[in-house]
């Protein structure tokens, strides 16, 4: 149970189609045509109809003894990574409920909050606009018409129109949000049922869609209510206080004791305790668990960016993987997983982006170590262009977040076909983890930067452990080899100036190439993705020998070409390819292993086991990307147009 179930079950953000996103984000509300908003709403509805789980926004709530404003604002800051365009808090005291909210960042919200208002109960929200434009009016919290109920909501209510028509035909709504319908319904049913808890549970039973809710009742400010269905939420426990949050990170400032919430559960929080109920009002018992991470895991500390911190964490992640998966030098792993892999006649790795690149390295490992034929598929392609599947396949889903909709669509499909599945993820409570037959965890700790770094190396390392376990006895002493990898990673991250210089000297053009052969080609793909996604330099990862079949036409004076050389069998071939591009004016950089290096190579890395070289050759490329983006002054942790987890197909 540990670290990763805390940050999320999901690290989600909802992303509309790029076009709609641009329209919604790029325009002040007044300029957005109503039909665009309607179209966005319909689009979300269709996504839901197709079974795509949509999560967005962030929630935090607190009831205790300390002034709540900073607790909420600090908690919301920890949820910023999810992406948002507006934020707000509501606090309640003897003078009633006070709401502070606006479009823009948390830093701006801090300037809006009235410091003189004191309160020990409150809810907060970061909003990523879906129903209605990002503006003050649509920002959460929202209230019922009398102001008695104030709520924050993460999710999408699909039947809000029907609910408006059936129960609230004459209601005067202030916002365009589906959330306000929930607040209005609660008040409506409180009048009818004369019992707040009953009313909220009744409203829950009427809602179709996803929600994580925090509710304040001005009539009873010593209670905080919460409810959950499909959107992520955790309870945080403390001495004299209790909390809710979209993930543990929002609450770690106050506690490391958490309780999970299942779908369709209703929660009553007071200062003294928390009770979870099912929809029928029957109390549910659930044990708390202790977070294995502390606030420093999710703080940048002295780092200017999460990405740099996460690059630096890689040696520790590799050591943690060894700790988790080895005992007395032997691999310890659920035998059911080992059996599932051993009995497969072919492995199908399904993943997207960086995780897919880790899957390519995994293919090499499964084939070389365990002798099992392995295919790697882009998840978004597999569903609609399904290849012929072998007799006894095993599907391996690789996903940092465990929430990627493209991969989930494949999982749904292969489950319908009756095939077994394994998810390799950083997030145990995640959708892919819950829905697959088996899960292997990455133990990488929270990865906050959108650009994935430590999750990639953890994905490669965990696949190596699995492949070695399935292979049984072999000459490879994996725990020792991984320990060497961790040390070599450290020797790379200890000399960052070198990569800063390379980024400055070589990445001066609007394009760049990474080339490599064999497993270095897979690392070239990942290196190219990393560089393009944060520095916006158009970069291609290429099989070095393939350049001359067309792409070499793009090489001109000054084009940066970075070659990766870690495999003896292709050392000379790749070097020939470097000469070819150099002769055509390219500015070349070579990253090589020491035993294969030549005097002129710019980056030389100490040797590791030949099957594990991607774990170390990727690190300089991560640092080069980081410094290229830094030199361009881009938002490194939150690059434009990207989400940490892509929860729509
Ligand atoms: C990589 O830096 C990106 N963030 C992206 O390619 C990512 O790896 C991809 O979206 C898959 O995400 P997942 O691992 O959470 O499934």
């Amino acid at each position: 149970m540990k670290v990763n179930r805390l940050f999320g079950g999901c690290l989600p953000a909802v992303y509309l189609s790029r076009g709609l996103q641009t329209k919604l984000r790029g325009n002040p509300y007044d300029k957005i045509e109503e039909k665009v908003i309607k179209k966005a709403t319909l689009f979300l509805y269709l996504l839901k109809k197709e079974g795509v789980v949509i999560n967005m926004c962030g929630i935090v709530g607190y009831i205790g003894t300390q002034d709540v404003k900073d607790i909420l604002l600090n908690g919301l800051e920890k949820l910023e990574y999810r992406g948002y365009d507006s934020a707000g808090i509501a606090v309640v005291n003897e003078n009633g409920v006070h709401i502070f909210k606006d479009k823009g960042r948390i830093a701006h919200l801090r300037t809006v909050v009235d410091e003189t208002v004191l309160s020990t109960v409150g809810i907060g929200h970061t909003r990523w606009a879906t129903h209605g434009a990002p503006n003050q009016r649509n920002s959460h919290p929202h209230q019922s018409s009398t102001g008695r109920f104030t709520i924050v909501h993460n999710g999408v209510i699909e039947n809000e129109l029907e609910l408006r028509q059936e129960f609230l035909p004459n209601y005067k709504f202030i916002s365009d949000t589906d959330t306000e319908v929930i607040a209005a319904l609660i008040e409506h049913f409180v009048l009818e049922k004369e019992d707040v808890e009953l009313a909220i549970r009744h409203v829950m039973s009427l809602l179709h869609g996803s929600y994580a809710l925090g509710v304040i009742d001005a009539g009873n400010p010593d209670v905080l209510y919460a409810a959950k269905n499909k959107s992520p939420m955790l309870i945080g426990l403390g001495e004299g206080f209790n909390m809710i949050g979209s993930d543990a990170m929002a609450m770690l400032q106050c506690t490391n004791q958490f309780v999970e919430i299942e779908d369709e559960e209703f929660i009553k929080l007071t200062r003294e305790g928390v009770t979870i109920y099912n929809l029928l009002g029957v109390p549910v018992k659930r044990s708390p668990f202790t977070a294995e991470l502390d606030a420093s895991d999710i703080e940048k500390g002295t780092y200017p960016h999460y990405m740099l911190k996460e690059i630096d964490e890689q040696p520790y992640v590799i050591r943690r993987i060894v700790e988790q998966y080895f005992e007395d030098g032997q691999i310890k792993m659920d035998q059911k997983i080992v059996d599932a892999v051993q009995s497969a006649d072919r492995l199908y790795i399904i993943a997207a982006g960086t995780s897919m690149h880790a899957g390519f390295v995994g293919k090499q490992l499964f084939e070389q170590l365990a002798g099992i034929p392995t295919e790697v598929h882009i998840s978004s392609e597999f569903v609609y262009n399904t290849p012929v599947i072998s007799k006894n396949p095993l599907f391996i889903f690789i996903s940092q977040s465990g929430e990627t909709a493209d991969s989930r669509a494949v999982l749904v499909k292969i489950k319908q076909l009756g095939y077994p599945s394994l998810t390799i993820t950083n997030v145990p409570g995640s959708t892919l983890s819950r829905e697959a037959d088996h899960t292997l965890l990455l133990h990488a700790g929270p990865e906050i930067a959108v650009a994935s770094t430590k999750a990639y190396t953890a994905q490669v390392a965990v696949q190596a452990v699995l492949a070695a376990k399935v292979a049984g006895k072999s000459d490879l002493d994996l725990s020792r080899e991984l320990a060497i990898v961790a040390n070599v990673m450290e020797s790379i991250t200890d000399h960052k100036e070198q990569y800063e210089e390379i980024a400055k000297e070589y990445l001066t053009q609007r394009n760049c190439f990474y080339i490599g052969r064999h497993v270095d080609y897979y690392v070239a793909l990942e290196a190219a993705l990393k560089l393009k996604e944060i520095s916006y330099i158009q970069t291609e990862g290429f099989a070095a020998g393939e350049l001359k079949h067309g792409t070499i036409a793009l090489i001109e004076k000054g084009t940066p070409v970075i070659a990766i050389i870690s495999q003896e069998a292709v050392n000379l071939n790749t070097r020939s390819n470097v000469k070819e591009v150099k002769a055509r004016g390219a500015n070349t950089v070579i990253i090589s292993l020491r035993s294969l290096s030549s005097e002129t190579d710019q980056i030389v890395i100490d040797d590791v086991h030949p099957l594990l070289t991607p774990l170390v050759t990727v690190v300089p490329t991560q640092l080069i990307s980081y410094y290229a983006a830094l030199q361009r002054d881009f938002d490194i942790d939150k690059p434009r147009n990207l989400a940490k987890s892509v929860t729509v197909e």
Side-chain angles (χ1 to χ4, degrees):
M1 129 134 31
K2 322 233 172 175
V3 177
N4 293 315
R5 72 198 271 193
L6 308 175
F7 58 102
C10 170
L11 300 178
V14 153
Y15 283 74
L16 302 175
S17 71
R18 290 274 151 77
L20 285 176
Q21 194 182 123
T22 314
K23 279 179 189 163
L24 283 173
R25 276 179 175 269
N27 294 278
Y29 174 66
D30 298 343
K31 290 193 196 149
I32 294 180
E33 291 173 40
E34 200 58 31
K35 69 179 179 199
V36 172
I37 296 166
K38 281 197 183 128
K39 211 167 150 192
T41 310
L42 175 69
F43 182 76
L44 285 162
Y45 171 73
L46 292 174
L47 288 170
K48 291 296 297 175
K49 220 168 141 235
E50 292 303 310
V52 177
V53 175
I54 294 179
N55 295 298
M56 69 207 91
C57 314
I59 283 181
V60 63
Y62 173 94
I63 178 162
T65 51
Q66 292 187 37
D67 184 49
V68 74
K69 297 190 300 291
D70 265 348
I71 294 174
L72 297 177
L73 292 166
N74 295 341
L76 290 180
E77 268 167 1
K78 295 289 174 287
L79 298 173
E80 281 189 303
Y81 74 91
R82 303 161 82 90
Y84 70 107
D85 43 47
S86 339
I89 62 170
V91 302
V92 58
N93 62 17
E94 60 287 357
N95 299 321
V97 175
H98 307 261
I99 296 180
F100 308 101
K101 61 181 188 177
D102 205 357
K103 185 179 166 181
R105 314 296 276 180
I106 311 292
H108 168 64
L109 178 64
R110 283 187 186 276
T111 66
V112 170
V113 171
D114 180 349
E115 271 308 312
T116 62
V117 173
L118 298 178
S119 161
T120 56
V121 183
I123 47 181
H125 189 265
T126 48
R127 172 173 191 254
W128 200 95
T130 57
H131 291 61
N135 57 22
Q136 204 266 355
R137 186 170 57 87
N138 287 327
S139 306
H140 297 215
H142 291 286
Q143 285 193 307
S144 59
S145 60
T146 66
R148 175 167 173 188
F149 294 99
T150 308
I151 76 171
V152 288
H153 167 218
N154 167 10
V156 173
I157 304 305
E158 295 156 13
N159 59 340
E160 56 134 350
L161 292 179
E162 292 90 319
L163 292 170
R164 281 174 197 250
Q165 279 159 14
E166 188 172 348
F167 300 106
L168 309 160
N170 302 315
Y171 194 94
K172 295 263 172 297
F173 287 96
I174 292 169
S175 76
D176 308 312
T177 65
D178 50 346
T179 302
E180 198 182 350
V181 176
I182 306 174
L185 281 175
I186 293 173
E187 190 164 275
H188 175 86
F189 285 106
V190 165
L191 293 177
E192 186 183 304
K193 299 191 184 296
E194 294 178 354
D195 181 310
V196 173
E197 294 176 33
L198 204 60
I200 298 178
R201 289 204 312 276
H202 184 69
V203 172
M204 287 169 68
S205 72
L206 294 174
L207 300 177
H208 294 176
S210 56
Y211 54 83
L213 292 174
V215 183
I216 288 177
D217 174 6
N220 186 5
D222 292 324
V223 178
L224 180 64
Y225 299 106
K228 172 192 173 327
N229 189 47
K230 292 185 189 162
S231 293
M233 189 157 68
L234 276 177
I235 296 167
L237 303 177
E239 284 292 315
F241 72 89
N242 290 298
M243 300 184 76
I244 48 166
S246 294
D247 63 35
M249 296 196 261
M251 299 181 273
L252 270 180
Q253 52 171 324
C254 300
T255 183
N256 66 352
Q257 295 290 308
F258 299 99
V259 181
E260 287 192 333
I261 313 172
E262 301 271 317
D263 284 346
E264 300 199 320
E265 286 183 342
F266 166 72
I267 301 99
K268 184 177 170 183
L269 300 100
T270 62
R271 292 178 179 82
E272 295 75 34
V274 173
T275 316
I276 304 174
Y277 300 91
N278 67 14
L279 261 191
L280 300 173
V282 179
V284 177
K285 284 228 172 316
R286 189 158 307 130
S287 306
F289 62 95
T290 306
E292 271 192 354
L293 72 175
D294 56 41
S296 64
D297 284 326
I298 52 157
E299 296 291 347
K300 280 194 294 225
T302 53
Y303 283 92
H305 298 99
Y306 281 108
M307 183 181 177
L308 193 61
K309 175 174 180 265
E310 288 158 9
I311 290 171
D312 270 2
E313 281 171 353
Q314 293 177 106
Y316 307 103
V317 172
I318 297 298
R319 289 178 191 128
R320 197 181 306 148
I321 287 170
V322 171
E323 250 170 60
Q324 294 289 333
Y325 285 107
F326 286 83
E327 202 166 70
D328 301 329
Q330 301 299 312
I331 299 171
K332 50 170 182 177
M333 189 174 279
D334 183 349
Q335 192 54 40
K336 287 196 203 100
I337 296 177
V338 182
D339 292 345
V341 181
Q342 272 168 345
S343 57
D345 61 359
R346 187 169 282 261
L347 303 177
Y348 293 79
I349 294 178
I350 309 289
T354 288
S355 297
M356 180 185 65
H357 298 153
F360 283 129
V361 181
K363 169 185 164 67
Q364 196 82 15
L365 292 162
F366 290 117
E367 293 189 339
Q368 298 295 314
L369 280 171
I372 307 176
T374 304
E375 296 178 15
V376 183
H377 290 271
I378 300 174
S379 47
S380 57
E381 284 297 309
F382 191 95
V383 181
Y384 307 103
N385 189 8
T386 310
V388 175
I389 296 170
S390 67
K391 255 191 169 157
N392 296 310
L394 173 71
F395 283 81
I396 301 181
F397 293 84
I398 304 181
S399 174
Q400 188 285 131
S401 63
E403 298 295 339
T404 300
D406 289 328
S407 300
R408 189 190 170 228
V410 180
L411 180 55
V412 170
K413 177 164 185 171
I414 65 105
K415 278 177 78 170
Q416 281 162 359
L417 295 170
Y419 295 131
S421 52
L422 161 69
T423 289
I424 300 179
T425 182
N426 209 18
V427 186
S430 57
T431 307
L432 288 174
S433 169
R434 282 199 316 268
E435 295 181 358
D437 298 320
H438 312 283
T439 296
L440 277 180
L441 295 179
L442 297 178
H443 299 288
E447 189 179 69
I448 311 287
V450 164
S452 184
T453 52
K454 63 177 180 173
Y456 170 84
T457 41
Q459 287 162 344
V460 170
V462 169
Q463 289 179 97
V465 176
L466 176 60
K469 177 72 178 170
V470 169
K473 270 201 169 316
S474 89
D475 296 339
L476 175 69
D477 180 350
L478 190 58
S479 64
R480 181 177 167 274
E481 297 299 343
L482 287 173
I484 295 171
V485 163
N487 292 345
V488 174
M489 282 174 158
E490 233 153 36
S491 69
I492 299 167
T493 55
D494 279 353
H495 295 97
K496 296 194 177 64
E497 12 15 276
Q498 192 184 354
Y499 307 101
E500 192 168 1
E501 271 310 304
I502 285 188
K504 200 190 232 158
E505 191 181 333
Y506 289 87
L507 300 183
T508 52
Q509 314 250 333
R510 66 171 299 277
N511 64 349
C512 175
F513 289 87
Y514 270 99
I515 60 169
R517 289 171 176 248
H518 198 293
V519 77
D520 299 330
Y521 165 47
Y522 303 144
V523 177
L525 293 175
E526 171 54 14
L529 176 62
K530 210 79 332 166
L531 184 58
K532 70 183 119 182
E533 74 177 321
I534 60 167
S535 75
Y536 316 144
I537 295 171
Q538 190 166 359
T539 314
E540 283 194 59
F542 239 81
E546 183 67 7
L547 269 184
K548 59 184 176 292
H549 296 287
T551 309
I552 201 164
L554 295 175
I555 304 293
E556 51 192 33
K557 195 168 166 12
T559 305
V561 177
I562 305 176
I564 302 167
I565 300 177
S566 78
Q567 302 296 314
E568 195 176 357
V570 292
N571 181 7
L572 298 181
N573 308 59
T574 307
R575 286 183 189 279
S576 300
N577 301 134
V578 171
K579 280 185 197 142
E580 284 159 15
V581 291
K582 212 170 176 170
R584 285 153 182 89
N587 260 348
T588 59
V589 175
I590 294 182
I591 302 172
S592 61
L593 283 202
R594 191 163 303 284
S595 60
L596 306 176
S597 65
S598 118
E599 248 177 42
T600 52
D601 294 354
Q602 289 87 339
I603 301 170
V604 177
I605 301 169
D606 287 338
D607 281 47
V608 299
H609 190 285
L611 281 172
L612 302 177
T613 57
L615 290 170
V616 293
T617 51
V618 79
V619 182
T621 72
Q622 297 168 341
L623 286 165
I624 290 170
S625 307
Y626 174 81
Y627 286 111
L630 188 71
Q631 284 155 16
R632 285 161 178 75
D633 204 18
F634 291 144
D635 190 349
I636 293 182
D637 288 333
K638 296 187 212 87
R640 70 187 181 204
N641 305 338
L642 293 177
K644 184 62 187 162
S645 70
V646 184
T647 51
V648 292
E649 278 188 68

